[in-house]
C-alpha cells in the first residue's frame, strides 16, 4: 500500500526514481509523484493515475542526482494531482506510506498558526509540522543549515505523530541528504560505494546492489551518497547489520505472457514443487517440544490468506485432532482472543507485511501463544517477528490477485499438518507417507490442470460468466473454503458481485436470491459430502438456477448445466480444484477489458489498517 523510493548518487535521480516506482506500482496506482533537488531548488512533478503519467510530465531537461518518489493508494483524499505525494512545505518534501491517525488535530493546530494546506491528505501535516518546529525552536544563534538541528526537529515532529508511517524527507537546505523514518510500514535502504537507495520492498532495494538494511520500527536513517547512519527516535546512533538477500531473477519480466496474473498461474507447478521441497528445511527449525504440547490452533490471515487458513483448518483437525479455528486478522486483533501458551497461532501472509496480520502476530506474542508465520517474503516483518516460520516458495507475486501464493500456502499448511500429525502420532505412518508422496506428485497434477484449462476455457465458457451481475458460489467442508477463494478471485478482477456460502446454509436465507438463470458455481470434491451438496444443487436448479459444477465426482446429469472436471486428489484436491476458477477469473477480466494485474481500488500489499 503506497510505494516509496529514494536515490542519491551520481546518476539521474528522476530516471532511477521513476524506474523504482514502476516496480513498486503493484503497491498502489491511484497516482504517482517525484521530488528532486535541482540547482538547490525543489522540483516536484506529480500526477493522478499510473506512474507513466508522471513520467511523461517530467521535463527531459531536469537534472538531479537526489530524489524521492511515491506511488499512491489513496486513504485520505481522492486520487488527484494535488493529493499525490510528495507533499511540500516550502523547502521540504515528504513521501509517506501509512496513515497519520491524529492528522486532523495536528492540521487544526497548524492552521491556527497560519499554515495553509493545499491537499486533503493526512500526509501534508508532516512537512508543515517539521517546518513549524524548525521555525518555532530556532534561536538567533541557531543555524538553519545545521544538520543536527534539522535532525532533532524531525525527531520532535515524529514524536507528535500517531499512526503508521514510512517516510522519506528531502530538504533543499541539505541537498545531499534524505532522512527516512518508519513505524508500522516497511522501508528498506541499500548502499553501494557511490550511491544509496530507498525502497518499500527489499526486492526493489536490492536491484542496485550493495548492502541492504531493513529499517525497524522507530528507527531513523540519515542517507547520503554511499553512506547511511541509523538512529533511534531519541537521537542515539545505532549499529545495524545488513541482511543477506537472495535475489530473484526475472521476477518482473512478463516473458510471453500478456499479464503477470497469467504468468503467475503458469508458475503454480514450480511454486508447489519448491514449497514441498523447501518446507522440510523449515520443519528442522520448529520447536518440536513446544509443538507437541499445543492444544489449540488459530489460523489468522486476510483475504486469500484467510481462505488458505479456512482450507487448512479442516486438514489440521483431521490429521492432528487438535481443535483448530480460523480468524480474519482484522477481527482477531480486536477480539481479545482466548489464547495462551498452549495455543499455536499461525499467521498466513504472502507479503508478510499486511498490517492487520502483523498486529495479530503482536497480540499473539503478547498473550504468550506460540507463533508460526507462513509467509512468502523471508525478510518481511511477519517472517522476522514470529517464533518460527514456514516459507512458501512461490517467488514474487506481482499481480494484485493472488494465485500461485495461495496454492503454495495450501501446500505449506497441509505439509505442516502432516508434520504435526507425525510428531503427535495422530495418524498411521503409512497414511502419512502416502500423503507425502501425493504432495510430491502435485506439481504434475497442477501442470495438467493448467495446460488443459488454458486450452479448454474458451470464449463459450467465459460467456457464461462475463455478463453476469451476481454469481453464487457453494461448497461444503473444504470445498466451501475453495468456493470462498474462487468467489474472491472472480469478484476482485471482474467486478461481478460474487459471494460464497456453505451449501447447507442456503435454506436459511440465501436461497431467496435464486431466480431464473441465476448462475451458481458449485464445488464438489469431497466424496463424503457429495450427496449433501447434491441436495443443494437440486434445490437451486428447481428454482431456475444454472449450475456450473467443478468436481472430481460422478454427478447425475440433472444436477448441473455445465461440468468442469478436476483431478481426484482426495483431501489435497483444493490445491488443484481452485485452478480452473483462477483461469476463468483471469480470462473473464481480460474479456471485460479490465487490467487483471491492477484492478480498481486495490493494492497488492495492505500496510494500513
Ligand atoms: C486477493 C489477495 C488479498 C490478499 C490479502 C492478504 O487476491 O491477494 O486478499 O490475500 O490482502 O495479503 P497477504 O497474504 O500479503 O497478507
Amino acid at each position: 500500500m503506497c510505494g516509496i523510493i529514494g536515490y542519491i548518487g551520481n546518476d539521474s535521480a528522476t530516471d532511477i526514481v521513476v524506474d523504482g516506482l514502476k516496480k513498486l506500482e503493484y503497491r498502489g496506482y491511484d497516482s504517482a509523484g517525484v521530488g528532486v533537488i535541482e540547482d538547490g531548488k525543489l522540483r516536484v512533478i506529480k500526477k493522478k493515475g499510473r506512474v507513466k503519467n508522471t513520467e511523461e510530465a517530467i521535463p527531459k531537461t531536469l537534472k538531479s542526482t537526489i530524489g524521492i518518489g511515491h506511488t499512491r493508494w489513496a486513504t485520505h483524499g481522492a486520487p488527484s494531482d494535488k493529493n499525490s505525494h510528495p507533499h511540500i512545505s516550502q523547502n521540504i518534501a515528504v513521501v509517506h506510506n501509512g496513515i497519520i491517525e491524529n492528522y486532523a488535530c495536528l492540521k487544526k493546530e497548524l492552521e491556527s498558526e497560519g499554515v495553509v494546506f493545499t491537499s486533503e491528505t493526512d500526509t501534508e501535516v508532516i512537512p508543515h509540522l517539521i517546518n513549524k518546529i524548525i521555525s518555532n525552536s530556532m534561536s538567533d544563534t541557531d543555524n538553519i543549515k545545521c544538520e543536527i538541528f534539522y535532525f532533532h526537529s524531525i525527531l520532535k515532529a515524529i514524536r507528535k505523530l500517531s499512526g503508521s508511517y514510512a517516510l522519506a524527507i528531502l530538504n533543499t537546505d541539505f541537498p545531499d541528504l534524505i532522512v527516512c523514518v518508519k513505524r508500522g510500514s516497511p522501508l528498506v535502504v541499500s548502499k553501494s560505494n557511490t550511491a544509496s537507495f530507498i525502497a518499500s520492498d527489499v526486492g526493489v532495494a536490492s536491484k542496485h546492489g550493495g548492502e541492504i538494511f531493513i529499517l525497524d520500527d522507530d528507527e531513523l536513517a540519515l542517507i547520503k551518497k554511499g553512506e547511511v547512519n541509523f538512529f533511534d527516535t531519541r537521537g542515539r546512533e545505532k549499529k545495524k547489520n545488513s541482511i543477506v538477500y537472495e535475489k530473484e531473477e526475472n521476477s518482473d519480466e512478463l516473458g510471453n505472457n500478456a499479464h503477470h496474473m497469467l504468468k503467475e498461474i503458469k508458475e503454480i507447478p514450480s511454486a508447489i514443487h519448491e514449497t514441498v521441497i523447501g518446507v522440510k528445511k523449515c520443519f528442522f527449525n520448529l520447536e518440536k517440544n513446544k509443538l507437541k504440547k499445543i492444544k489449540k490452533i488459530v489460523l489468522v490471515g486476510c483475504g486469500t490468506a484467510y481462505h488458505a487458513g479456512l482450507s487448512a483448518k479442516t486438514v489440521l483437525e483431521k490429521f492432528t485432532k487438535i481443535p483448530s479455528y480460523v480468524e480474519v486478522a482484522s477481527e482477531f486483533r480486536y477480539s481479545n482472543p482466548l489464547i495462551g501458551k498452549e495455543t499455536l497461532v499461525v499467521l498466513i501472509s504472502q507479503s508478510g507485511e499486511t498490517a492487520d496480520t502483523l498486529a495479530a502476530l503482536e497480540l499473539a506474542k503478547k498473550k504468550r501463544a506460540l507463533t508460526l508465520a507462513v509467509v512468502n517474503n523471508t525478510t518481511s516483518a511477519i517472517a522476522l517477528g514470529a517464533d518460527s516460520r514456514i516459507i512458501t516458495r512461490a517467488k514474487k507475486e506481482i499481480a494484485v490477485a493472488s494465485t500461485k501464493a495461495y496454492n503454495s500456502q495450501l501446500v505449506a499448511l497441509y505439509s505442516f499438518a502432516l508434520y504435526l500429525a507425525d510428531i503427535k502420532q495422530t495418524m498411521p505412518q503409512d497414511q502419512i507417507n502416502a500423503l507425502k508422496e501425493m504432495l510430491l506428485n502435485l506439481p504434475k497434477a497442477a501442470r495438467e490442470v493448467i495446460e488443459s484449462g488454458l486450452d479448454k476455457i474458451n470464449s463459450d465458457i467465459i460467456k457464461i460468466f462475463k455478463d453476469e451481475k451476481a454469481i453464487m458460489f457453494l461448497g461444503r467442508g473444504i470445498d466451501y473454503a475453495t468456493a470462498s477463494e474462487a468467489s474472491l478471485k472472480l469478484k476482485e478482477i471482474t467486478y461481478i458481485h460474487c459471494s460464497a456460502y456453505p451449501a447447507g446454509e442456503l435454506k436459511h436465507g440465501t436461497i431467496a436470491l435464486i431466480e431464473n438463470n441465476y448462475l451458481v458455481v458449485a464445488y464438489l470434491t469431497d466424496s463424503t459430502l457429495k450427496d449433501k451438496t447434491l441436495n443443494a444443487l437440486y434445490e437451486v436448479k428447481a428454482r431456475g438456477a444454472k449450475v456450473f459444477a467443478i468436481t472430481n465426482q460422478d454427478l447425475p446429469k440433472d444436477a448441473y448445466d455445465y461440468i468442469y472436471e478436476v483431478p481426484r486428489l482426495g483431501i489435497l484436491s483444493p490445491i488443484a480444484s481452485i485452478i480452473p476458477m483462477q483461469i476463468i477469473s483471469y480470462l473473464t477480466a481480460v474479456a471485460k477489458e479490465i487490467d487483471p494485474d491492477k484492478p480498481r481500488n486495490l493494492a497488492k500489499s495492505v500496510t494500513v489498517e
Side-chain angles (χ1 to χ4, degrees):
M1 200 138 285
C2 297
I4 289 180
I5 290 284
Y7 171 79
I8 318 173
N10 298 322
D11 298 324
S12 160
T14 43
D15 289 353
I16 292 174
V17 168
V18 166
D19 182 60
L21 288 181
K22 285 182 185 164
K23 297 198 169 81
L24 285 182
E25 209 172 12
Y26 73 89
R27 301 179 74 90
Y29 31 86
D30 287 333
S31 67
V34 172
V36 298
I37 299 176
E38 185 189 40
D39 298 332
K41 291 201 181 70
L42 203 54
R43 301 286 304 272
V44 170
I45 300 104
K46 48 188 196 174
K47 290 275 165 230
K48 181 181 167 182
R50 303 283 163 92
V51 173
K52 73 171 174 22
N53 299 356
T54 300
E55 183 180 23
E56 282 163 11
I58 297 173
K60 297 277 169 289
T61 50
L62 189 58
K63 296 252 172 311
S64 172
T65 53
I66 177 166
I68 54 177
H70 187 267
T71 171
R72 178 170 188 245
W73 185 84
T75 58
H76 296 64
S80 65
D81 290 356
K82 75 169 185 218
N83 287 336
S84 311
H85 300 216
H87 287 285
I88 17 182
S89 173
Q90 296 166 30
N91 49 326
I92 294 178
V94 170
V95 288
H96 167 218
N97 171 22
I99 293 180
I100 304 304
E101 286 169 358
N102 59 339
Y103 86 99
C105 158
L106 293 171
K107 188 170 176 175
K108 219 165 154 189
E109 262 178 48
L110 288 160
E111 279 175 334
S112 71
E113 291 188 55
V115 173
V116 177
F117 280 76
T118 57
S119 78
E120 296 142 358
T121 65
D122 53 336
T123 304
E124 200 188 338
V125 295
I126 302 168
H128 290 309
L129 190 60
I130 299 170
N131 252 334
K132 236 344 164 217
I133 288 171
I134 291 175
S135 54
N136 287 353
S137 51
M138 211 170 60
S139 70
D140 291 345
T141 51
D142 281 326
N143 175 2
I144 197 152
K145 300 216 170 167
C146 166
E147 204 171 283
I148 300 196
F149 180 67
Y150 173 50
F151 170 66
H152 281 277
S153 304
I154 290 178
L155 288 179
K156 279 187 199 159
I158 295 310
R159 282 186 212 118
K160 284 182 167 268
L161 304 179
S162 61
S164 61
Y165 45 83
L167 303 173
I169 308 164
L170 206 58
N171 182 339
T172 53
D173 286 334
F174 305 93
D176 58 353
L177 173 72
I178 298 176
V179 182
C180 280
V181 58
K182 85 140 216 146
R183 172 183 286 182
S185 304
L187 206 53
V188 183
V189 178
S190 68
K191 81 168 175 79
S192 63
N193 290 334
T194 52
S196 299
F197 193 78
I198 300 152
S200 295
D201 91 33
V202 66
V204 174
S206 73
K207 292 268 176 332
H208 293 262
E211 289 179 278
I212 300 172
F213 303 88
I214 297 181
L215 257 72
D216 292 324
D217 275 352
D218 296 319
E219 206 164 61
L220 219 105
L222 296 191
I223 302 164
K224 297 186 173 174
K225 186 162 79 177
E227 185 191 326
V228 185
N229 294 297
F230 299 96
F231 300 85
D232 66 17
T233 42
R234 291 172 70 184
R236 294 175 300 201
E237 188 151 8
K238 287 175 81 175
K239 206 175 149 25
K240 194 169 176 70
N241 294 327
S242 57
I243 59 146
V244 180
Y245 176 72
E246 246 176 75
K247 259 194 194 173
E248 276 179 27
E249 296 308 325
N250 296 329
S251 56
D252 298 338
E253 309 295 330
L254 276 171
N256 296 328
N257 304 292
H259 298 97
H260 285 288
M261 185 172 175
L262 177 60
K263 177 178 175 238
E264 287 161 11
I265 290 172
K266 290 181 186 168
E267 286 169 350
I268 289 171
S270 65
I272 295 175
H273 171 76
E274 297 290 328
T275 303
V276 175
I277 304 297
V279 284
K280 289 187 198 147
K281 287 184 212 145
C282 302
F283 293 157
F284 280 128
N285 299 319
L286 299 183
E287 294 188 82
K288 246 189 196 177
N289 286 338
K290 284 192 185 161
L291 282 176
K292 274 187 185 165
K293 292 187 193 133
I294 289 303
K295 298 223 162 41
K296 174 176 172 181
I297 299 175
V298 184
L299 301 129
V300 183
C302 302
T304 291
Y306 166 74
H307 295 148
L310 209 54
S311 199
K313 169 204 151 69
T314 311
V315 177
L316 275 162
E317 287 191 334
K318 200 175 173 106
F319 291 1
T320 68
K321 317 285 181 270
I322 304 173
S324 302
Y325 305 86
V326 202
E327 287 255 25
V328 170
S330 53
E331 292 292 322
F332 177 86
R333 66 182 289 189
Y334 295 115
S335 65
N336 196 12
L338 301 175
I339 57 173
K341 270 201 306 225
E342 292 183 335
T343 313
L344 173 69
V345 177
V346 183
L347 295 308
I348 309 163
S349 176
Q350 185 282 126
S351 63
E353 284 182 357
T354 303
D356 286 321
T357 314
L358 186 57
L361 167 65
E362 299 307 333
L363 178 64
K365 280 166 49 176
K366 212 158 110 193
K367 297 215 164 216
R368 294 164 174 266
L370 192 62
T371 55
L372 170 67
V374 175
V375 273
N376 199 36
N377 179 353
T378 47
T379 54
S380 59
I382 295 174
L384 299 175
D387 297 319
S388 50
R389 58 217 53 79
I390 296 177
I391 307 301
T392 53
R393 289 167 205 269
K395 301 217 171 114
K396 189 169 176 183
E397 209 178 46
I398 292 177
V400 162
S402 188
T403 52
K404 61 177 180 171
Y406 176 72
N407 304 68
S408 314
Q409 283 162 351
L410 294 186
V411 167
L413 289 161
Y414 292 6
S415 302
F416 173 66
L418 276 180
Y419 169 80
L420 210 52
D422 202 356
I423 61 171
K424 287 189 77 105
Q425 300 185 336
T426 46
M427 245 172 118
Q429 198 59 48
D430 57 338
Q431 260 185 47
I432 295 182
N433 293 343
L435 280 159
K436 282 186 181 165
E437 191 65 30
M438 276 177 77
L439 277 165
L440 287 171
N441 290 324
L442 268 179
K444 184 169 172 281
R447 186 166 298 111
E448 283 165 12
V449 179
I450 294 164
E451 280 169 8
S452 74
L454 290 173
D455 190 40
K456 74 178 182 209
I457 300 175
N458 54 20
S459 53
D460 287 342
I461 295 188
I462 298 307
K463 228 187 272 166
I464 301 170
F465 292 85
K466 186 174 164 265
D467 297 319
E468 292 297 329
K469 295 279 170 283
I471 301 174
M472 184 185 294
F473 287 72
L474 295 177
R476 267 178 193 263
I478 207 160
D479 284 325
Y480 167 61
T482 315
S484 302
E485 173 56 12
S487 161
L488 175 63
K489 212 61 9 186
L490 188 63
K491 91 176 101 182
E492 69 181 323
I493 58 170
T494 65
Y495 315 149
I496 298 169
H497 181 101
C498 300
S499 42
Y501 303 93
E505 269 290 291
L506 263 186
K507 298 189 260 319
H508 302 286
T510 312
I511 201 162
L513 293 172
I514 301 294
E515 56 186 357
N516 238 0
N517 285 325
Y518 197 109
L519 181 60
V520 174
V521 177
Y523 266 94
L524 211 167
T525 69
D526 182 347
S527 57
T528 62
L529 296 170
K530 177 177 163 184
D531 292 341
K532 299 291 165 199
T533 308
L534 269 176
N535 288 343
L537 300 198
Y538 283 122
E539 285 159 11
V540 291
K541 272 196 72 66
R543 288 161 178 86
K546 295 177 286 189
V547 171
F548 188 96
I550 300 178
T551 185
N552 53 19
Q553 304 293 307
D554 296 322
L555 301 188
K557 287 211 162 26
D558 58 349
Y560 60 84
D561 297 273
Y562 315 96
I563 189 158
Y564 197 103
E565 283 174 32
V566 286
R568 283 189 184 218
L569 299 168
I571 197 152
L572 306 183
S573 292
I575 299 167
S577 67
I578 187 63
I579 294 172
M581 276 315 302
Q582 290 170 328
I583 299 175
I584 288 172
S585 303
Y586 168 72
L587 291 173
T588 307
V590 173
K592 293 183 83 163
E593 296 183 7
I594 294 168
D595 180 350
D597 287 348
K598 295 189 179 74
R600 70 184 177 204
N601 305 339
L602 290 172
K604 183 71 184 162
S605 171
V606 186
T607 52
V608 292
E609 249 197 279

